[in-house]
Amino acid sequence: MSEKKIKKSKDRCTLQEILDVIGGKWAMSIIYALFPGKKRFSELERMIPGINTRMLVKELKNMEENQIVTREVFATVPPTVEYTLTEKGKKLEPIINELYKWGVEYVG
Amino acid sequence: MSEKKIKKSKDRCTLQEILDVIGGKWAMSIIYALFPGKKRFSELERMIPGINTRMLVKELKNMEENQIVTREVFATVPPTVEYTLTEKGKKLEPIINELYKWGVEYVG
């Protein structure tokens, strides 16, 4: 058996941890929407078809906890909330772009 | 606003379709486990910590429907079932490896 790649428990846990961070139904779509630059909550909501407000709040909170995005609140009326990718989040750009290319070729 | 990357509805649907195929909680772990070559059901179950039989059956069925894996049944007693990545599935190897490297650096 050639199970070398994931024979170590540490390796396996790492992959599972990664998926906890970005493997959710919406996380990659949100990251993808943030590649061009910061976005307001309402912009993200418009950009991601099928997501609802509750899910977007939940995913962004999770991504903030995992240091994928930063959240800035501006004291406008009503308050403006903006999300930006962190360095850690930006490093996903080439990977998600490759995944997207794969999808265009094989799924879309 | 620089929303060019996902402004087209077609693009957005494609990303969502990709995530339907490989964005599940276990799909990438299963694909990762299959990179070195075909595996029996019981081997996959051992290789992926935290997955249960029902979830593995469900994910593999979904992946078979999406032409990510092929399933072969051998008439042994008890029957042996082996899973192999398709060409489409194998193309994910560099992408998932990059994702894994990202995780080791930023998550693990």
Side-chain angles (χ1 to χ4, degrees):
Chain A
M1 279 190 290
S2 53
E3 295 182 5
K4 62 177 166 46
K5 278 192 179 173
I6 56 170
K7 75 179 171 194
K8 284 185 297 175
S9 168
K10 188 185 170 300
D11 283 0
R12 292 183 296 190
C13 291
T14 303
L15 191 62
Q16 213 50 59
E17 279 165 26
I18 296 165
L19 296 169
D20 287 344
V21 176
I22 57 155
K25 184 166 163 52
W26 300 105
M28 279 201 217
S29 295
I30 298 169
I31 295 167
Y32 194 82
L34 287 170
F35 285 152
K38 65 180 165 192
K39 291 278 173 287
R40 288 198 299 271
F41 185 90
S42 56
E43 289 178 290
L44 287 173
E45 209 169 10
R46 269 203 310 277
M47 289 171 81
I48 302 162
I51 202 165
N52 62 42
T53 306
R54 191 182 56 82
M55 287 305 302
L56 185 54
V57 167
K58 196 183 155 194
E59 287 278 352
L60 283 167
K61 205 178 146 106
N62 182 41
M63 288 163 71
E64 204 189 339
E65 277 164 15
N66 286 303
Q67 290 109 47
I68 303 283
V69 299
T70 51
R71 180 177 184 267
E72 268 188 297
V73 184
F74 299 93
T76 53
V77 180
T80 313
V81 185
E82 282 186 351
Y83 292 88
T84 318
L85 286 179
T86 60
E87 278 312 303
K88 176 178 168 179
K90 280 181 196 154
K91 289 279 166 74
L92 288 167
E93 181 157 10
I95 303 169
I96 294 181
N97 282 340
E98 283 306 307
L99 197 58
Y100 184 72
K101 276 190 232 164
W102 174 88
V104 169
E105 191 170 348
Y106 290 101
V107 183
Chain B
M1 278 190 289
S2 53
E3 294 181 8
K4 61 177 165 46
K5 279 192 180 174
I6 56 172
K7 76 179 171 195
K8 285 185 298 176
S9 168
K10 188 186 170 299
D11 284 358
R12 292 182 297 190
C13 291
T14 303
L15 191 62
Q16 214 52 58
E17 278 165 28
I18 296 166
L19 295 170
D20 287 345
V21 176
I22 57 155
K25 185 165 162 54
W26 299 105
M28 279 202 214
S29 295
I30 297 169
I31 296 167
Y32 194 83
L34 287 170
F35 284 153
K38 65 180 165 190
K39 292 277 174 288
R40 289 198 298 270
F41 185 89
S42 56
E43 289 178 291
L44 286 174
E45 209 170 10
R46 270 203 309 277
M47 288 171 82
I48 302 162
I51 202 165
N52 63 42
T53 306
R54 191 180 57 82
M55 288 306 301
L56 185 54
V57 167
K58 195 184 156 195
E59 287 279 352
L60 284 167
K61 205 177 146 103
N62 183 40
M63 288 162 72
E64 205 189 336
E65 276 164 16
N66 287 303
Q67 290 108 49
I68 303 283
V69 299
T70 51
R71 180 177 183 269
E72 268 189 296
V73 183
F74 298 92
T76 52
V77 180
T80 312
V81 186
E82 281 185 351
Y83 292 89
T84 318
L85 286 179
T86 60
E87 279 311 303
K88 176 178 168 180
K90 281 180 196 153
K91 289 280 165 75
L92 288 167
E93 181 158 8
I95 304 168
I96 295 182
N97 281 340
E98 283 306 308
L99 196 58
Y100 186 71
K101 275 191 232 163
W102 175 86
V104 170
E105 190 169 348
Y106 291 102
V107 183

